[in-house]
Amino acid sequence: MISRNVLLLTGSIAVIGANSLVLSPIASSVAASFSGVDAAGVMTAAAIYGLATAASALTLASVADRIGAERALVRALLILVVALAVAALSPTLVVLCLAQGLAGLAAGTALPAIYTLAAQVAEKGRESETLGVVLTGWTLSLVAGVSLSAVMADIVHWRAVFAVLALGAAGLAIGVGRSKAWGMAVRATVPTSPLTALRVPGIKAALLNVAAYMTAFYGLYTYLGPHLGESLRLPTTFAGLATFAYGMGFGLAAPLGRLIDRYGMLTAAVVTFAGLTLVYLGMAAASGMPAILLVLCVAWGLANHIGLNLIVRGLTELDPSQRGAIMGLYSTITYLCVFAGALLYRPLFAYFGFAACALVSAACIVPALGWSFSRLPPRMAQEGS
């Protein structure tokens, strides 16, 4: 049975993720409320949110190692409540941008704290299973949060979207604050920071894998919609269906976390990263076949969920006393890869098309696959080859 604390962590990710994704589908509605602003201008607030999240994760996430991840999460959620309330009441785009910047500061502190708490509350031998449930918060934000926000903006008003998210964040802050069963935290004996975290053995190789993994995802995901709409001339609805298929695949992978606990992280990593590489290669080969791409989006979500589970769990186990700082570095790299992926893949998409982007994404996964395979016991490596 899923514990109340795991549900609180899942809900926290869902609210944070919904806010990070919600502006895109309601941008036109938001722009209509501000004089002289278009939908593209509204997305400036989303860019500010991403940069603020990366900056916060780098500079503030280590606070969780000193005051406790649960206290850091409560404070971050309370700041998020204020930010979302200001967003709902924004009289101008400038105020909305400031509100999203504040929300980014909260998210950059909250996400590392959530992953830290997921490691703390997990029962021995069920670490990946617990983390898998927590990660479904991203599915909730993508499938439910984004879809419902668009409907709410049409039926009620776009301001109602942020008001509901603010109420959700407030409820979660109260729930996290009242709960006491957050497991045993390993306190740092010295002050932690990104610099101390970078001295943890194995962290640099792990973060390089994170950068390659996230660039592969965000680079390809950014241009999936343009490929379907512009290159294949499919309706916008189909692009939404592809996103839905990815989200469903991501959510369906949650129960598979128990297989990681059963067979071990290294075995799971080899299978997962090999599978993800094949998915990217398949997307390159089927770039002109919409129906096959839709099926591959489900497989993409499945593989990405398990890969993310492996990456996050591996990072949290490097040094339990510096989980906050380590996960802060992880979140920083993740949000920087949102920009890097879009920037680096743009000329690839413009000159060579979506298939080339998928091939580059496959190449980005190969180092992680090679590292995982090299860590297998000799007998297993020989059997795998």
Side-chain angles (χ1 to χ4, degrees):
M1 184 175 178
I2 302 173
S3 71
R4 177 171 176 269
N5 283 353
V6 171
L7 291 176
L8 286 170
L9 296 177
T10 305
S12 297
I13 282 187
V15 169
I16 292 169
N19 177 66
S20 69
L21 298 167
V22 78
L23 271 177
S24 180
I26 66 173
S28 297
S29 298
V30 176
S33 297
F34 302 139
S35 177
V37 175
D38 58 12
V42 170
M43 293 309 294
T44 302
I48 291 174
Y49 171 87
L51 290 174
T53 302
S56 174
L58 183 63
T59 59
L60 300 178
S62 59
V63 170
D65 297 324
R66 297 192 292 273
I67 67 172
E70 67 278 9
R71 293 176 65 189
L73 179 56
V74 170
R75 294 180 185 183
L77 287 172
L78 290 174
I79 293 172
L80 185 62
V81 171
V82 174
L84 292 171
V86 173
L89 300 171
S90 298
T92 65
L93 178 59
V94 173
V95 176
L96 180 62
C97 288
L98 291 174
Q100 284 299 311
L102 183 62
L105 293 177
T109 304
L111 289 172
I114 291 169
Y115 295 135
T116 297
L117 289 171
Q120 286 181 200
V121 302
E123 296 179 20
K124 186 68 175 176
R126 300 182 64 184
E127 293 88 351
S128 288
E129 183 180 351
T130 301
L131 183 57
V133 175
V134 172
L135 289 174
T136 57
W138 291 112
T139 300
L140 292 174
S141 66
L142 182 66
V143 176
V146 176
S147 301
L148 293 177
S149 66
V151 174
M152 188 179 298
D154 284 339
I155 297 177
V156 186
H157 198 278
W158 67 265
R159 297 183 187 278
V161 174
F162 291 110
V164 169
L165 289 176
L167 289 174
L172 289 164
I174 294 171
V176 173
R178 287 182 175 177
S179 181
K180 304 300 179 185
W182 288 111
M184 184 64 67
V186 180
R187 299 297 186 194
T189 56
V190 295
T192 63
S193 70
L195 291 178
T196 62
L198 283 173
R199 291 197 288 268
V200 173
I203 186 68
K204 293 178 181 177
L207 291 177
L208 285 174
N209 277 335
V210 170
Y213 188 92
M214 293 302 179
T215 299
F217 169 71
Y218 284 110
L220 195 64
Y221 185 81
T222 298
Y223 294 100
L224 175 61
H227 171 65
L228 295 173
E230 297 174 7
S231 303
L232 301 185
R233 300 188 180 282
L234 295 169
T236 304
T237 306
F238 193 91
L241 190 60
T243 301
F244 181 82
Y246 172 85
M248 290 304 297
F250 195 94
L252 290 171
L256 301 180
R258 68 188 64 176
L259 297 179
I260 301 176
D261 296 322
R262 181 182 303 171
Y263 295 107
M265 289 181 63
L266 289 178
T267 302
V270 170
V271 174
T272 300
F273 294 136
L276 185 56
T277 302
L278 291 176
V279 168
Y280 283 135
L281 291 174
M283 295 178 84
S287 61
M289 299 176 242
I292 296 177
L293 278 177
L294 205 60
V295 174
L296 287 171
C297 280
V298 177
W300 190 15
L302 280 164
N304 243 9
H305 181 119
I306 302 171
L308 190 61
N309 188 314
L310 290 164
I311 288 172
V312 172
R313 180 180 169 184
L315 287 170
T316 59
E317 292 181 354
L318 285 176
D319 185 348
S321 69
Q322 296 195 68
R323 278 176 177 152
I326 290 172
M327 295 315 299
L329 289 172
Y330 162 81
S331 294
T332 300
I333 290 174
T334 297
Y335 276 88
L336 289 177
C337 284
V338 175
F339 293 93
L343 183 67
L344 295 175
Y345 278 58
R346 184 173 181 177
L348 277 174
F349 181 72
Y351 293 105
F352 303 104
F354 183 79
C357 295
L359 289 174
V360 171
S361 289
C364 287
I365 304 301
V366 171
L369 175 60
W371 178 86
S372 302
F373 195 81
S374 69
R375 297 287 297 273
L376 285 175
R379 174 184 290 183
M380 294 182 65
Q382 290 172 5
E383 291 175 354
S385 59

